[in-house]
């Protein structure tokens, strides 16, 4: 009996330690939207605004953090919220659009100015690379994308460059995220996260299971989430994690029963994190304290 009680005590202490540890990594957690149909926040490069979408990825919203009570609906169309991002000057939203009467294989990249609402076609960005627009501009005009015929991850320099294959292993790869310095890329295959050198200078690294959503600005790691389902169909829980790309060490950032944290994005200065609660449809921000 004493052994059982001791074991139970150790398990409880470990559980409490994990919860406290998670809380220390995220502090000053607050909702910046009311409950609704909001998901997938993306920081503007100047750190002053958040872009987010609805759960069907059909609406683009922008929220100025200096006036969090005003949520602006920018544009709505089928699927435009998926992989939407910012221009480098934070003045335009970059999004993917299916041509009228066309297919998703015919996706084109466009931008919309937040002031004038004028739209224009963007020809030098691959539909998989919309998030690279707001990162460090590559002198090589690097493009990293999934080949839709082979489902391999490829790269090339410029739209007319000769492509090379990054993922030489067998598998169907999806959701690539290029590091801010454009030397590394995270990509998914099945439930696993893999890291590759864009230029093939190192072996791939298995970072475990989950779905990565954001790099840290210093290229040191990625933020991921892991969702769970009790019935195999509906998501019943989700938590955020940080994974170091050097050591592969995983740190749990959240541990909650009433919130389903997903789609986290790190602020440009690396000090804050935004994420969506897929249970209530609200967007949250918090201070990120990885060095504690």
């Amino acid at each position: 009996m004493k052994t059982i009680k001791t074991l139970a005590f150790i398990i409880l202490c470990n559980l409490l330690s994990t919860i406290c540890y998670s809380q220390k990594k995220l502090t000053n957690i607050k909702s910046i939207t009311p409950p609704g149909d909001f998901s997938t926040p993306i920081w503007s490069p100047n750190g002053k605004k958040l872009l987010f979408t609805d759960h069907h990825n059909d609406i683009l919203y922008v929220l100025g953090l200096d006036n969090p009570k005003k949520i602006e609906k920018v544009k709505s169309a089928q699927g435009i919220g998926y992989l939407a991002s910012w221009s480098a000057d934070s003045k335009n939203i970059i999004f993917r659009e299916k041509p009228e009467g066309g297919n998703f294989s015919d996706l084109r990249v466009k931008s919309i100015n937040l002031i004038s609402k004028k739209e224009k076609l963007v020809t030098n960005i691959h539909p998989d690379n919309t998030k690279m627009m707001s990162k460090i501009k590559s002198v090589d005009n690097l493009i990293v994308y999934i080949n839709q015929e082979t489902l391999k991850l490829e790269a090339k320099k410029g739209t007319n460059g000769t492509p090379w294959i990054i993922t030489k292993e067998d598998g169907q790869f999806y959701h690539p995220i290029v590091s801010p310095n454009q030397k590394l890329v995270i990509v998914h295959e099945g439930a696993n996260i893999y890291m590759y050198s864009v230029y093939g200078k190192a072996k791939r690294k298995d970072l475990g299971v989950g779905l990565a959503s954001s790099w840290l600005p210093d290229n040191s790691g990625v933020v991921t989430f892991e969702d769970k389902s009790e019935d195999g169909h509906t998501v019943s829980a989700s938590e955020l994690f940080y994974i170091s790309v050097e050591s592969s060490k995983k740190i749990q950032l959240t541990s909650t029963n009433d919130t389903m944290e997903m789609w986290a994005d790190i602020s440009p200065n690396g000090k804050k994190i935004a994420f969506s609660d897929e249970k209530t449809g609200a967007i949250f921000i918090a201070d990120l304290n990885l060095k504690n």
Side-chain angles (χ1 to χ4, degrees), residues 2-289:
K2 183 177 179 180
T3 303
I4 295 175
K5 287 183 177 179
T6 302
L7 180 60
F9 178 77
I10 292 173
I11 293 173
L12 177 60
C13 287
N14 287 338
L15 176 60
L16 291 174
S17 175
T18 300
I19 293 173
C20 291
Y21 190 69
S22 300
Q23 289 175 342
K24 288 180 180 178
K25 296 305 173 186
L26 299 187
T27 56
N28 298 323
I29 302 171
K30 61 179 181 180
S31 172
I32 57 170
T33 69
D37 187 23
F38 306 125
S39 180
T40 321
I42 303 293
W43 291 89
S44 62
N46 62 15
K48 295 181 179 180
K49 297 180 180 180
L50 282 175
L51 165 70
F52 46 92
T53 184
D54 66 319
H55 286 97
H56 297 286
N57 293 311
D58 291 340
I59 306 174
L60 297 175
Y61 297 101
V62 168
L63 176 67
L65 296 177
D66 56 346
N67 186 11
K69 293 183 179 181
K70 184 179 180 181
I71 300 174
E72 178 187 0
K73 181 178 177 181
V74 178
K75 181 180 173 64
S76 61
Q78 186 180 7
I80 64 168
Y82 183 64
L83 296 183
S85 192
W86 292 89
S87 62
D89 59 8
S90 302
K91 295 180 179 179
N92 300 276
I93 302 299
I94 310 298
F95 62 94
R96 315 176 335 157
E97 185 177 68
K98 180 170 69 81
E100 187 175 352
N103 301 312
F104 279 105
S105 59
D106 303 320
L107 282 171
R108 55 191 180 185
V109 179
K110 299 180 71 175
S111 70
I112 181 170
N113 185 275
L114 292 178
I115 302 299
S116 68
K117 298 298 186 293
K118 289 184 178 180
E119 299 182 20
K120 64 179 182 181
L121 194 64
V122 182
T123 58
N124 63 337
I125 302 178
H126 190 277
D128 277 347
N129 280 175
T130 50
K131 288 191 174 184
M132 287 180 66
M133 186 69 177
S134 61
K135 308 299 181 183
I136 300 171
K137 186 172 178 59
S138 169
V139 294
D140 296 327
N141 191 18
L142 180 69
I143 299 174
V144 181
Y145 60 96
I146 299 293
N147 183 314
Q148 294 302 312
E149 293 183 0
T150 65
L151 296 182
K152 295 283 190 180
L153 183 65
E154 297 182 356
K156 58 184 178 181
K157 297 178 180 180
T159 54
N160 297 319
T162 301
W164 67 90
I165 298 174
I166 299 175
T167 53
K168 296 180 173 61
E169 299 83 1
D170 292 333
Q172 298 180 350
F173 297 89
Y174 64 96
H175 196 58
I177 309 177
V178 181
S179 63
N181 63 10
Q182 299 187 0
K183 295 180 179 181
L184 301 170
V185 57
I186 294 293
V187 71
H188 303 75
E189 199 275 319
N192 281 67
I193 306 168
Y194 294 100
M195 183 179 71
Y196 288 82
S197 165
V198 170
Y199 295 96
K201 296 181 179 180
K203 292 182 178 180
R204 77 171 183 178
K205 182 179 287 189
D206 187 347
L207 298 182
V209 300
L211 188 61
S213 56
S214 177
W215 280 87
L216 265 69
D218 63 1
N219 311 285
S220 63
V222 293
V223 173
T224 72
F225 67 89
E226 295 179 24
D227 55 27
K228 299 178 181 179
S229 175
E230 294 179 353
D231 60 8
H233 300 284
T234 305
V235 175
S236 56
S238 181
E239 305 293 352
L240 302 181
F241 295 82
Y242 163 78
I243 303 176
S244 166
V245 297
E246 181 176 354
S247 67
S248 300
K249 180 181 178 182
K250 178 183 287 189
I251 297 174
Q252 187 166 349
L253 300 178
T254 62
S255 181
T256 57
N257 294 323
D258 56 352
T259 307
M260 291 194 292
E261 297 92 344
M262 294 184 183
W263 302 113
D265 193 54
I266 308 299
S267 63
N269 62 10
K271 295 180 179 181
K272 291 185 177 293
I273 186 171
F275 59 89
S276 53
D277 172 16
E278 299 298 297
K279 186 174 183 179
T280 66
I283 303 295
F284 287 77
I285 60 172
D287 295 333
L288 181 63
N289 313 295

